[in-house]
Amino acid sequence: MNELQRELVGRVRDLGPAMVERAERYDREASFPDENFADLRDAGFLALCVPTANGGLGADFATYALVAEEIGRHCGSTALAFNMHTATTLLTGQISDELDLSDEDRRLVGERRERLYADIVADHTVHAQPFSEGLDPRATKGFATVAEPTDGGYLISGRKIFASLSTSADIHNVACMVDGDPRIRLIGVPAGSDGLTVTGEWDPLGMRGTVSKTLLLDRVFVPAENEWLPPGVFNQMATRWPHFYMTLSFAYVGVMGAVIDFTGRYLAGEVDGTSRAGNPQKEYVWGDMQLRYEQARALSHHASAEAGADPSPAALRRAWSSVVATMEGAPAIASAAVQAGGGRSLLRPLPLERLYRDARCGATMLPWSAEICRERLGNLKSGIDGIAGRDRPATGGAEEG
């Protein structure tokens, strides 16, 4: 870690004990972690990826990954929700800066993000990014949510499922399209807008604090200045900056760390006074858990550190591999923790049963689900390119097919 990364991760770690204490309540109630977000706000983390010149903390993608991991180590739901907020500042900041934009589009991005950053820094505006629609599993070829141009802006109509921060975000940044135009748009819909409805029950297996209900949009008027990116920049990101799609995995690296933390203390007798040291079966499982965790964590750090525009085929394969190692590794080590700890380790209020459920949720998250990443890793052409073309830039199409 560099100096800034060590400082920011340390500041999150200082907030961690309070997050851990609240996590059981958020899980039990399936309620949003408002107190955790207030702590992050007070520590400046809502502006984590806002440049220092704009009053933010100036973190890049790799630094965000480390911060998200540390949050996830204390509360997985908070880390996932925080990802949905921070993603907008990454898209309008570092990612846009590294893409090819016309002079006019770059001017427009600069103008729009100045206001976005100011609202986050001064007013603590919380953003969300509801992408999922339950249609194309890759979620990058297009969207059914429609933006109809009108005087002064757009009328937005559609549906977004699993919309994290559905009842807590100030602005929902929806991916949508204008009929007849293949370019994806990112438009901020203010909470409480006429025609915007939050609907559905929220009683999931895990990550219950994200409160990811369904958003229904019925001709919701949004002013033109809330279109954060020029049309088509999102499409360019999908093919040229694909590491953006691994951001969800960082929270799960943190959940893996939480499982390791608890299991180590439990086996050592620090939880209930009964040491399991000297039991060869438990020690074998414990050793295997640590191995799998360190492998996933190292791969995550490597992949996030090399994120950028036009990654080489090998770098893209490492990103896919990282997602699989994390999203499949998290439930695997949580299951192993149950095996090592035995039945008593699952009793509430101990955290393992919650971590076990949270860990299970990651492998299905789109657009880079574990299955999709495995499919791409197994593709012979991409596999050969990824091994032989380590330093050759990708030619685009990372999200195609």
Side-chain angles (χ1 to χ4, degrees), residues 91-120:
L91 280 172
T92 57
Q94 178 184 357
I95 294 175
S96 291
D97 287 344
E98 295 183 14
L99 298 178
D100 293 329
L101 276 64
S102 67
D103 290 343
E104 175 59 21
D105 281 352
R106 199 162 296 285
R107 182 199 66 78
L108 185 63
V109 169
E111 177 184 291
R112 299 279 168 84
R113 71 186 181 190
E114 285 288 325
R115 181 168 63 86
L116 185 147
Y117 293 162
D119 288 345
I120 292 173

Side-chain angles (χ1 to χ4, degrees), residues 149-360:
T150 189
D151 290 343
Y154 299 94
L155 297 174
I156 312 294
S157 299
R159 181 186 76 149
K160 297 294 184 180
I161 64 173
F162 292 111
S164 296
L165 298 91
S166 56
T167 59
S168 300
D170 298 305
I171 297 180
H172 302 280
N173 298 314
V174 302
C176 54
M177 303 179 75
V178 172
D179 279 343
D181 187 340
R183 298 174 299 174
I184 297 171
R185 299 163 187 263
L186 186 69
I187 299 178
V189 178
S193 296
D194 290 341
L196 174 62
T197 304
V198 179
T199 186
E201 298 296 322
W202 180 247
D203 190 15
L205 172 71
M207 292 299 186
R208 293 165 58 82
T210 60
V211 191
S212 305
K213 296 184 177 182
T214 296
L215 300 184
L216 299 179
L217 302 102
D218 183 12
R219 295 176 63 81
V220 180
F221 175 76
V222 181
E225 57 266 27
N226 277 25
E227 185 171 7
W228 303 122
L229 297 175
V233 174
F234 192 97
N235 305 66
Q236 190 181 160
M237 175 280 296
T239 57
R240 298 191 55 217
W241 228 102
H243 283 75
F244 175 74
Y245 289 117
M246 69 179 297
T247 55
L248 292 170
S249 69
F250 306 139
Y252 285 90
V253 178
V255 172
M256 293 176 82
V259 173
I260 291 292
D261 292 343
F262 170 78
T263 306
R265 291 188 298 107
Y266 187 83
L267 295 179
E270 296 175 12
V271 174
D272 63 358
T274 302
S275 174
R276 282 82 178 172
N279 183 311
Q281 290 83 11
K282 294 183 183 297
E283 290 180 344
Y284 178 86
V285 173
W286 170 232
D288 194 60
M289 289 172 60
Q290 294 177 82
L291 176 63
R292 189 154 190 173
Y293 167 61
E294 294 297 347
Q295 289 172 333
R297 189 167 184 253
L299 189 51
S300 177
H301 291 180
H302 188 157
S304 61
E306 62 184 357
D310 303 320
S312 70
L316 190 53
R317 283 174 53 82
R318 280 189 289 272
W320 292 333
S321 298
S322 174
V323 171
V324 174
T326 297
M327 298 307 210
E328 293 186 352
I333 71 162
S335 181
V338 174
Q339 180 183 355
R344 292 183 180 179
S345 66
L346 279 174
L347 297 176
R348 294 180 178 179
L350 298 180
L352 183 56
E353 62 87 26
R354 169 175 51 82
L355 296 171
Y356 181 89
R357 290 183 285 104
D358 283 351
R360 180 62 268 175

